[in-house]
Amino acid sequence: MKPLTEHDIRTSFVNCSKGEAKRLPLPKNLADLDHWDDLDFLGWFDLSAPDRRYLVVERADELVGLSLRSASGKRGFLRRSLCSLCLTTHPGSGVSLMTAPKAGPAGRQGNSVGLYICSDLDCSLYVRGKKKAAPGGRMEESLTVEQQIERLRGNLDAFVERVFH
């Protein structure tokens, strides 16, 4: 992913109003972020509203920003869940159901789509081995890291496509 500016991020959102995009908090570490090459999307959460998450992805040479809400609710530590993007399993609340309002008129009518995603939105780092999941979180795969990255990008693209349709 290429480095993003505040303007890039704020103008990329497709499922919230321009006013909401102007007011949403940016990632705290945006100026210090130095691992852009390791990211397939930029994801962060709102410290003042823990159920609000945001992600920005490059798609066909354009940026698409999504406003998400994570389902609240604590799960027991013994229960494990699988992220639909990177296929990493996490115990407890390490994976959340995140819903995105649809873009356009459908979203204004209250329609949304959801997906189970790593709560910390660090899918790119898990796939690349830059961040370790809890024991048993990443299964040994016959796919190369590059193929796993392509799968993650494909899963992400399919989710973004569902926001538009």
Side-chain angles (χ1 to χ4, degrees):
M1 182 166 208
K2 67 177 180 157
L4 302 177
T5 65
E6 177 179 348
H7 180 264
D8 294 336
I9 293 169
R10 293 196 187 282
T11 57
S12 71
F13 281 86
V14 298
N15 66 343
C16 64
S17 71
K18 288 181 182 179
E20 290 170 319
K22 186 189 256 187
R23 292 186 303 272
L24 64 84
L26 294 176
K28 293 281 185 214
N29 62 344
L30 183 63
D32 302 325
L33 199 60
D34 61 355
H35 61 275
W36 290 99
D37 291 340
D38 293 329
L39 297 179
D40 301 295
F41 63 90
L42 176 64
W44 72 100
F45 58 93
D46 186 342
L47 293 173
S48 63
D51 66 329
R52 290 184 185 258
R53 309 264 199 261
Y54 308 97
L55 67 85
V56 177
V57 62
E58 289 176 316
R59 187 170 185 254
D61 294 330
E62 71 174 339
L63 291 175
V64 175
L66 299 177
S67 174
L68 307 167
R69 289 206 181 237
S70 64
S72 58
K74 301 289 182 195
R75 292 192 178 132
F77 190 77
L78 296 176
R79 183 174 179 163
R80 299 184 68 83
S81 299
L82 178 71
C83 173
S84 299
L85 293 179
C86 66
L87 304 185
T88 301
T89 57
H90 295 278
S93 58
V95 172
S96 298
L97 174 61
M98 297 199 196
T99 57
K102 287 189 152 216
R108 288 190 290 278
Q109 293 174 354
N111 296 323
S112 63
V113 294
L115 195 68
Y116 286 95
I117 305 174
C118 294
S119 297
D120 59 10
L121 297 171
D122 282 339
C123 300
S124 300
L125 302 179
Y126 291 122
V127 167
R128 288 168 173 80
K130 306 278 182 171
K131 187 172 183 179
K132 298 294 180 200
R138 293 287 305 160
M139 306 282 183
E140 184 73 29
E141 292 194 63
S142 60
L143 297 177
T144 66
V145 171
E146 290 76 22
Q147 290 170 323
Q148 292 176 47
I149 291 168
E150 284 304 311
R151 179 181 60 204
L152 181 146
R153 289 178 180 167
N155 293 341
L156 183 59
D157 190 54
F159 178 61
V160 172
E161 188 65 28
R162 287 177 50 214
V163 171
F164 282 108
H165 294 77

